[in-house]
Amino acid sequence: MPQKIDEKAIRHVGNLSRIELTDEQVATFGRQLADILAYVDKLQELDTTNVEPLAHALPVHNVLAADVPHAPLAPEQALANAPARDGDFYKVPKVIGDSQ
Amino acid sequence: MSILDLSAIELRDAIARGDVSAVEATRAYLGRIEALDPKLAAYNEVSADRAVARAQEVDLKRARQEPLGALGGVPVAVKDNICTAFGKTTCSSKMLQDFRAPYDATVAAKLESAGAIILGKTNCDEFAMGSSTESSGFGPTHNPWDLSRVPGGSSGGSAAATSARLCAAALGSDTGGSIRQPAAFCGVAGLKPSYGRVSRLGLVAYGSSLDQIGPFGRDVADVALMLGVIAGHDPSDSTSVDAPVPDYLADLDKPIKGLRVGLVKEFHSQSLDAEIRAAIDKAVEIYRAQGAEIVEVSLPHSRIDIDAAGQLSSYAVACYYIVAMAEASSNLARYDGVHYGHRTAGKVTDIIQLYSKSRAEGFGAEVKRRIMLGTYALSSGYYDAYYLKGLKVRRLIKNDFDAAFTKCDVLLCPTAPETAFKLGAKSDDPIKMYLSDIYTISVNLAGVPGISIPAGLSKAGLPIGLQLIGNVFTEPALLCAARMYERAAGVCRLTPAGV
């Protein structure tokens, strides 16, 4: 059976999800996620031995498109919603640095 | 009869005949929006000038005696998680509050090439995650039948707008019931098509194996008309199916001889509200009177259990939340504060902080809950217990539908376990909110089509929804069966008393 979710686990999930959490949110989400997980544990009642997982309702696989070039979004369009830009580039803080 | 009371088909025909101009129709709807939307909050954005300009083009076409299209001059609304190259596409999220899509969703382009006038974008639960429109980052939509109640969700704005005559028809999206449940709460017809029937290109992704765009109308014929316009293969969506699009209106009014209606025995249980149960029983009689054969069928893995404390539970709901949240956590990873969307103004020292602060500020609580739950279900050590288990149960649910459709043509059941609830009634209890979708959710897991149509009003004067479910790609029979009920019962084009 899956384990219950504790404070350390909720902070870990927050980090994996790239969502900064306040202490209050750690408490609230921790409680709510534990409730939801307890609820979905109902699935463990079912015997699914030899049941093929179903990821997709349609029996469609490997759809190939014709290899025809088409015009991509122009840089100006692609960058139009960027919160910060530098010329034709998206601008972000220094990725590799001494902050870690 | 006022322009606003015409169905989409009647309005299109009136415009084609020249009885009404497209500009008159558009201005009539814009006037109604101006008068009522401050109370309803069905729209996030109304593109009035553009709509009038588009309507003028339709009128010019008519003057030149050119064909106007299947929706020539008909004012419609589009849910705000469907991209349009004009105005904003916000998903009712602060994350995307200034986002302008660089292209039209395939469905938006199809509506406009069929001559429809898009009035604006409708409110919804944030990123379509919710069952009441209360998780919208811009405030909830109100139910036109009772402003103190929710319109349902997540496509609550589209349902409320169709019901209150703020548009002639609308598009929504349905991942677990998000078209059918608000259609039920607002007293309109709403269809979730078969998975793959309608292109998802330009629909902002939530649960990609479950999401499907579909129409709202004031009667079944308008839903059939809208489906005909938006359905079809799209080379840019590899999950859209390359199958011909039938004329959904052609045989709509020919009752199906020997229709076999399946009653889902697990859904007709003690947990069902008495008034809704009575409406279903009445619908059964209406079908029987038209010569339909009523058969009992079983969907054991969509069964609704009720425990000693009165708490409802269902394998389908549990399965859905694992699958949908896992897909959501992956889909919503794209909101990084770099390419588009909200970026924190706070000080950050590295890229992870930029992501984490931007996402903390941009997303609301329900979206965060779902991303975190999905991340947890997919994380190392839990994948087999949750996600893989969910997919296996999904197979069992689908098998149940396959077995049921060997015995009947359509399934008949409620759309929702209750009528529209009060704003705030379930805001603090996510599981209670998730149970709003207890009758609709397995339809998405199985990929089959489902429609909600009005089945009268409760004693409190609130609409009750009846759901019909068909097998994959049997929309013509499903719509026809819905039309049989609508015509025989005389319940459609309901006018809300609240506005």
Side-chain angles (χ1 to χ4, degrees):
Chain A
M1 286 290 281
Q3 293 169 11
K4 290 295 161 239
I5 193 156
D6 60 15
E7 185 189 325
K8 196 176 153 219
I10 199 86
R11 288 192 188 278
H12 178 60
V13 172
N15 182 46
L16 289 177
S17 306
R18 302 291 186 248
I19 296 172
E20 195 175 82
L21 299 173
T22 63
D23 290 343
E24 196 192 332
Q25 286 174 326
V26 168
T28 318
F29 285 141
R31 190 166 29 79
Q32 291 173 336
L33 262 62
D35 286 350
I36 297 168
L37 288 169
Y39 183 84
V40 301
D41 271 348
K42 184 176 171 67
L43 296 182
Q44 309 301 334
E45 292 168 14
L46 291 171
D47 181 4
T48 51
T49 322
N50 299 323
V51 176
E52 253 323 276
L54 179 73
H56 213 273
L58 284 177
V60 176
H61 305 283
N62 295 334
V63 177
L64 300 177
D67 191 12
V68 183
H70 59 91
L73 278 186
E76 210 40 55
Q77 274 184 300
L79 284 156
N81 286 289
R85 60 186 283 191
D86 183 358
D88 273 355
F89 299 94
Y90 295 103
K91 198 170 170 183
V92 293
K94 203 159 93 174
V95 178
I96 307 163
D98 45 18
S99 61
Q100 296 267 324
Chain B
M1 196 183 215
S2 138
I3 289 174
L4 302 173
D5 291 323
L6 299 176
S7 73
I9 292 176
E10 289 164 351
L11 178 57
R12 174 199 65 185
D13 292 345
I15 291 168
R17 282 194 306 267
D19 298 350
V20 181
S21 75
V23 169
E24 282 173 315
T26 301
R27 287 199 196 282
Y29 276 103
L30 290 171
R32 176 91 173 159
I33 292 170
E34 207 174 281
L36 281 185
D37 209 44
K39 281 197 274 179
L40 292 172
Y43 282 89
N44 284 343
E45 186 176 30
V46 177
S47 297
D49 293 345
R50 184 179 181 277
V52 171
R54 300 278 309 178
Q56 283 165 343
E57 285 172 35
V58 170
D59 289 336
L60 281 174
K61 271 188 161 181
R62 190 177 174 278
R64 293 195 301 262
Q65 297 186 315
E66 290 170 26
L68 304 184
L71 286 166
V74 176
V76 300
V78 172
K79 187 178 180 180
D80 206 10
N81 64 346
I82 295 173
C83 289
T84 49
F86 61 90
K88 293 176 192 163
T89 300
T90 71
C91 295
S92 293
S93 178
K94 294 214 155 57
M95 180 59 85
L96 292 177
Q97 64 182 345
D98 298 313
F99 179 71
R100 291 180 181 274
Y103 59 88
D104 271 326
T106 300
V107 292
K110 283 187 166 197
L111 284 179
E112 292 206 322
S113 10
I117 310 299
I118 298 178
L119 295 168
K121 307 293 281 287
T122 51
N123 199 4
C124 55
D125 283 295
E126 184 179 6
F127 285 100
M129 298 179 186
S131 307
S132 67
T133 318
E134 291 168 294
S135 85
S136 165
F138 311 135
T141 297
H142 297 256
N143 191 313
W145 292 83
D146 176 347
L147 296 174
S148 71
R149 293 177 188 271
V150 302
S154 66
S155 312
S158 288
T162 305
S163 165
R165 276 99 176 117
L166 305 188
C167 62
L171 292 185
S173 68
D174 189 317
T175 305
S178 282
I179 290 173
R180 291 160 287 156
Q181 185 253 21
F185 280 15
C186 292
V188 295
L191 171 77
K192 184 209 83 80
S194 303
Y195 188 79
R197 182 69 286 188
V198 176
S199 168
R200 292 183 297 111
L201 182 82
L203 171 67
V204 177
Y206 157 25
S208 301
S209 79
L210 306 159
D211 297 340
Q212 194 64 195
I213 295 168
F216 289 94
R218 286 185 223 136
D219 65 19
V220 174
D222 280 0
V223 166
L225 169 72
M226 291 281 281
L227 179 65
V229 169
I230 62 170
H233 180 237
D234 178 359
S236 301
D237 172 7
S238 63
T239 62
S240 72
V241 173
D242 195 359
V245 178
D247 180 351
Y248 295 107
L249 287 164
D251 294 322
L252 190 68
D253 287 326
K254 284 187 203 149
I256 300 170
K257 276 194 186 130
L259 178 74
R260 295 170 307 164
V261 176
L263 265 188
V264 185
K265 68 174 182 197
E266 288 83 2
F267 287 174
H268 219 60
S269 70
Q270 49 164 327
S271 59
L272 183 54
D273 172 272
E275 279 191 277
I276 295 178
R277 194 190 171 106
I280 300 296
D281 290 340
K282 205 171 146 196
V284 168
E285 288 320 308
I286 284 172
Y287 278 110
R288 219 191 288 276
Q290 294 184 84
E293 183 191 345
I294 310 296
V295 292
E296 189 179 82
V297 296
S298 176
L299 297 175
H301 297 96
S302 303
R303 183 183 85 206
I304 296 162
D305 294 326
I306 182 161
D307 71 11
Q311 169 91 323
L312 301 180
S313 66
S314 136
Y315 296 123
V317 172
C319 171
Y320 171 84
Y321 278 94
I322 290 294
V323 172
M325 294 189 195
E327 293 185 11
S329 73
S330 175
N331 274 324
L332 273 70
R334 71 191 65 181
Y335 303 102
D336 57 3
V338 173
H339 298 90
Y340 49 84
H342 174 77
R343 174 184 283 203
T344 181
K347 191 170 161 39
V348 295
T349 52
D350 64 30
I351 191 83
I352 302 294
Q353 267 191 20
L354 175 75
Y355 296 155
S356 301
K357 280 188 192 294
S358 299
R359 290 162 64 82
E361 293 167 9
F363 291 141
E366 184 57 33
V367 174
K368 288 176 184 171
R369 254 193 304 276
R370 295 194 191 196
I371 291 174
M372 288 171 60
L373 192 91
T375 302
Y376 184 80
L378 291 173
S379 66
S380 164
Y382 300 104
Y383 183 90
D384 285 6
Y386 290 116
Y387 186 62
L388 197 62
K389 185 78 184 182
L391 293 187
K392 289 180 174 184
V393 175
R394 185 176 185 182
R395 168 80 61 188
L396 297 174
I397 290 166
K398 168 98 172 97
N399 289 349
D400 290 345
F401 277 94
D402 289 346
F405 285 121
T406 62
K407 293 187 190 151
C408 65
D409 306 304
V410 294
L411 303 173
L412 187 159
C413 61
T415 306
E418 59 195 338
T419 51
F421 48 87
K422 290 270 186 189
L423 284 153
K426 301 181 191 216
S427 309
D428 298 332
D429 188 343
I431 294 175
K432 235 178 171 176
M433 187 71 88
Y434 300 166
L435 290 167
S436 295
D437 298 327
I438 206 157
Y439 296 107
T440 49
I441 225 156
S442 46
V443 165
N444 300 73
L445 291 164
V448 296
I451 187 169
S452 179
I453 50 175
L457 301 179
S458 71
K459 288 193 192 81
L462 296 170
I464 294 172
L466 170 71
Q467 182 179 215
L468 294 167
I469 302 166
N471 204 350
V472 181
F473 279 68
T474 62
E475 278 86 350
L478 178 65
L479 290 164
C480 191
R483 185 70 164 169
M484 283 168 68
Y485 170 83
E486 178 177 273
R487 288 172 72 97
V491 184
C492 67
R493 304 200 198 174
L494 304 178
T495 309
V499 289

